[in-house]
Amino acid sequence: WCNCAVTRNRQPPIVLTAPSRRATILDVARAAAVSPATVSRVLTGRKPVSGELSQRVRRAASDLGYHPNPAAQVLLRGTHDTIGVVVPDLANPYFSEVLKGVTAGAASEDRQVLVVDSNEDPLEEHRGAMRLARWVDGLVLCSPRMPAALLKEVADTGTPLVVVNRGTRDRRIGR
């Protein structure tokens, strides 16, 4: 059934499309007509490939807007290139200076810094440190107020740990 008076003034329907997905290494390989291993060799620069092949792969990656998947990079390298810092109060100028130093050191090693402000809550400090320990290559705890048993738990994660402004006899914890 059609009501011509209604259809005459109707606008065409709006078609919603799913957001475009990220290009993968397989997409780049298909576009460049090479294997995914060749794409990896070109983009990491670890093994030599011909100039023409390298140019073709890089052009395909650029055209597709390809960027390596950070999670895959972590699995491949076994490192996050990230340092975690837990501070009790970001507004305290002392901790701002500590963060500047950590950030400068991290940047010189091409690493990034993730910061957790515990709001001077020892339990939040512990929770933040435990969460960060899963995602960083090292932890810096500034003036930790958490009990020694909780500090030991953080050390037990195996993530390298440095404690600022607190003494400890645990050899696993740097000072």
Side-chain angles (χ1 to χ4, degrees), residues 7-23:
T7 55
R8 194 173 356 164
N9 295 326
R10 266 180 79 186
Q11 297 294 320
I14 297 173
V15 178
L16 299 176
T17 59
S20 61
R21 66 178 180 82
R22 275 176 63 157

Side-chain angles (χ1 to χ4, degrees), residues 40 44 46 71-79:
S40 180
T44 62
R46 291 196 184 127
Q73 295 291 302
V74 167
L75 291 173
L76 178 68
R77 290 189 320 257
T79 180

